Amino acid sequence: MPRETAFWFFLLVTSSLYLLSDPTADNDLWVHLKSGLFILESGAVPRTDVFSYTAAGHPWVDHEWLSQVLLAWIYGTFGSRGLFAWKLVLGLLALALLAADVLRTRLPLPLRVVLLVLGLSVLSRGFAPRPQIFTYAALAGLFFVLRRTPSPSPWALALAFALWANLHGGVLAGLGVLGVRAVWNAFVLRSEARRSALGCLAALLAFLFLNPYGPSLGLYVREELFFPHPITEWQPLALEPAQGTFLLLAGGFVLTLFRTEFRGRGWEAGLGVLFLVFAFRHQRHTPLFALAALPLLAENLERFLASPPPAFLRFGRTLFLSEPARRILLAGVAAVSVLQLSLLIARAFEHRFRIVYDRRDYPVGAVTYLRECGIGGNAAVPLDWGGYVLWHLSPDVRVSLDGRFATVYPVRAVRDNFDFFAGERVEGFLRRYETDLVFAPTGSPLDLSRVPGWHPIFRDDTCLLWARTPILEKARSCPPVRTPRSPRLFFP
């Protein structure tokens, strides 16, 4: 038995390290670091936009300002290896908090490990190096505390939520958890209701007032949920193979809800259902569902296996394995573990624990060309390229859109930018916004060849760079530039 335990824990360790150690940069990482450096250099949290030309001077509610400062400090001190380590440590912390609840159940160890790996595969999809992973770790910690202390100290909650409110707007999810728990205490358990209400109130006041923007931060976070986000992570969940682990976790959660001990765990069931609805509405919320649902799923499975099931479920509930079958299963577990370990070692040798990105996903050649030629101006860019262009070319170049999105840009500017790169209302965009350069993805429907005064000045397999006539002469005098050939580049 001890040998079998070692096999299963080896699988958990290798899965954790492999799934959480993806070194690929998120396309918003550049703008987060740029914002953090701006705050460190200026000594103030931004109030109005300084990086774009379509929203210049527009109010900027930077709900991630403290995360950005921490990221900028980590990068400035330890480079991209520091960012990689920070991401991995927060991921392992969130997993450890989940594991503390799942492993304490009396389920068979193989089932507990499988549940943790399943939950981790969902959680890891959101663990790119970006501020939102502070929310994942904080939410895991909040659930961990509430399962052990139904009504934590209001002072402790106020301090925790004051910090969380300055790290990431996902603090709203934490407030929702506290609110549901307080209502459950008051109307169902009728115990510690006053303390729960005080804790919830303390957290809410900390969120609203202990941040640079005051109550307007709360208004912004609420409005962002309804802001139009024409990007994949804000779209409804697609029923596709890539979402298989999430759908499996969601199915198990729903099918075992009838085993919930509702008096003690009803608030968790309600939150699990709520986060499940949010996950189906917006793909980016699938990790929140994993954090809320996994421990309750483990408890419900334990009750299911420990008591007689309903008549319609009385079929083959217990699976007995012969000794040869057990050995084959352990061999499979060992093979998967060794494969993950091998891939992890290969990844470490290739990327050397640094953040990387694919050259083909960003306008590396066009940015190099503008930088070496000393060309600047207002540049229209697709959303995914805004942060990259800002990091390398700001302040000489201002962009039309970047990953700050709803924190800065008016709805009209966002819609105009998406329409422009879809080849719609092209001349209207150029008349409305004083644009000097356009980064058009190669093969996109955007074509400026028939627009007077616009000329192509650079082309590669990723980007076609257009410029107005006044820039053309300077571009003609610019010598050829050398761009990286490797498809994988080290950040930044």
Side-chain angles (χ1 to χ4, degrees):
M1 186 62 69
R3 187 179 66 176
E4 292 187 12
T5 299
F7 272 84
W8 287 104
F9 273 106
F10 185 42
L11 174 65
L12 180 59
V13 170
T14 58
S15 298
S16 305
L17 294 175
Y18 177 71
L19 291 172
L20 291 171
S21 65
D22 181 2
T24 306
D26 181 84
N27 54 41
D28 290 339
L29 181 57
W30 285 273
V31 76
H32 288 311
L33 291 179
K34 188 72 176 177
S35 301
L37 289 175
F38 173 79
I39 296 170
L40 290 173
E41 291 168 359
S42 65
V45 176
R47 303 284 180 171
T48 56
D49 177 52
V50 295
F51 294 134
S52 80
Y53 69 97
T54 56
H58 195 266
W60 178 6
V61 182
D62 190 2
H63 68 92
E64 302 161 319
W65 75 270
L66 186 55
S67 294
Q68 293 165 344
V69 168
L70 291 173
L71 290 178
W73 178 82
I74 291 172
Y75 178 71
T77 306
F78 304 105
S80 73
R81 287 189 176 93
L83 296 176
F84 177 84
W86 160 78
K87 180 182 90 83
L88 183 59
V89 167
L90 277 188
L92 291 174
L93 173 61
L95 175 64
L97 293 168
L98 276 176
D101 285 320
V102 173
L103 292 178
R104 71 176 181 173
T105 65
R106 292 187 295 274
L107 286 172
L109 179 63
L111 188 52
R112 283 178 281 172
V113 171
V114 168
L115 284 175
L116 283 171
V117 173
L118 181 64
L120 179 63
S121 67
V122 176
L123 183 63
S124 64
R125 291 173 66 93
F127 256 87
R130 56 191 296 186
Q132 71 187 39
I133 68 176
F134 281 112
T135 282
Y136 298 151
L139 193 62
L142 181 62
F143 275 116
F144 178 85
V145 170
L146 290 180
R147 290 182 185 114
R148 288 156 178 79
T149 308
S151 301
S153 163
W155 291 106
L157 287 174
L159 289 174
F161 273 76
L163 178 62
W164 192 353
N166 290 280
L167 286 169
H168 189 253
V171 63
L172 196 63
L175 288 171
V177 170
L178 282 184
V180 169
R181 188 68 182 89
V183 170
W184 191 260
N185 273 358
F187 293 99
V188 179
L189 297 183
R190 300 182 183 277
S191 65
E192 299 192 39
R194 181 179 178 183
R195 188 179 177 89
S196 293
L198 286 175
C200 188
L201 179 61
L204 177 63
L205 292 175
F207 164 64
L208 290 177
F209 295 103
L210 298 183
N211 69 82
Y213 303 99
S216 62
L217 176 64
L219 295 174
Y220 158 72
V221 174
R222 181 183 63 83
E223 290 173 0
E224 187 183 16
L225 292 176
F226 302 99
F227 190 92
H229 294 78
I231 51 180
T232 302
E233 67 176 14
W234 280 96
Q235 300 308 302
L237 189 83
L239 300 179
E240 57 188 11
Q243 298 292 350
T245 54
F246 166 77
L247 294 173
L248 187 60
L249 182 65
F253 173 76
V254 171
L255 290 174
T256 58
L257 267 180
F258 73 96
R259 284 298 183 186
T260 301
E261 195 281 295
F262 277 96
R263 182 169 176 78
R265 290 287 184 260
W267 65 278
E268 291 184 62
L271 284 167
V273 171
L274 185 63
F275 283 132
L276 181 61
V277 171
F278 274 109
F280 272 100
R281 288 188 60 190
H282 305 300
Q283 296 181 35
R284 65 177 287 146
H285 294 134
T286 53
L288 302 183
F289 170 73
L291 292 169
L294 189 64
L296 184 62
L297 171 58
E299 288 189 10
N300 288 343
L301 276 175
E302 180 184 357
R303 294 190 189 95
F304 173 72
L305 294 175
S307 60
F312 69 93
L313 287 177
R314 289 174 186 168
F315 55 89
R317 187 180 62 171
T318 304
L319 179 65
F320 294 97
L321 293 178
S322 64
E323 186 61 27
R326 292 167 70 92
R327 290 182 179 179
I328 292 173
L329 177 61
L330 287 180
V333 169
V336 172
S337 302
V338 170
L339 175 61
Q340 289 183 138
L341 183 61
S342 301
L343 293 173
L344 185 64
I345 293 173
R347 178 186 287 171
F349 272 105
E350 181 181 358
H351 305 308
R352 289 169 272 174
F353 304 105
R354 290 191 277 183
I355 302 294
V356 299
Y357 62 98
D358 194 319
R359 173 183 60 82
R360 296 162 294 189
D361 293 336
Y362 299 94
V364 177
V367 165
T368 303
Y369 175 82
L370 292 178
R371 185 175 58 234
E372 295 191 8
C373 295
I375 297 174
N378 295 333
V381 295
L383 171 66
D384 290 348
W385 289 359
Y388 181 85
V389 172
L390 275 179
W391 175 265
H392 290 281
L393 298 178
S394 178
D396 296 325
V397 169
R398 291 188 176 215
V399 298
S400 60
L401 191 62
D402 63 76
R404 294 171 299 155
F405 213 68
T407 65
V408 169
Y409 294 93
V411 174
R412 180 174 182 177
V414 173
R415 183 177 62 248
D416 288 346
N417 204 82
F418 274 88
D419 288 345
F420 177 71
F421 283 99
E424 301 173 8
R425 294 182 283 279
V426 171
E427 295 190 47
F429 179 93
L430 297 174
R431 284 194 302 269
R432 184 174 299 117
Y433 306 104
E434 296 181 2
T435 304
D436 305 302
L437 300 161
V438 173
F439 287 75
T442 300
S444 74
L446 178 60
D447 183 8
L448 301 184
S449 60
R450 297 183 181 180
V451 181
W454 283 90
H455 315 272
I457 60 172
F458 177 87
R459 184 196 303 265
D460 64 10
D461 57 355
T462 302
C463 176
L464 174 57
L465 183 62
W466 297 84
R468 285 192 182 275
T469 301
I471 296 176
L472 187 60
E473 288 303 319
K474 189 171 185 178
R476 284 174 175 168
S477 63
C478 183
V481 299
R482 306 181 79 181
T483 58
R485 295 293 183 187
S486 171
R488 300 285 278 181
L489 301 177
F490 290 119
F491 185 88

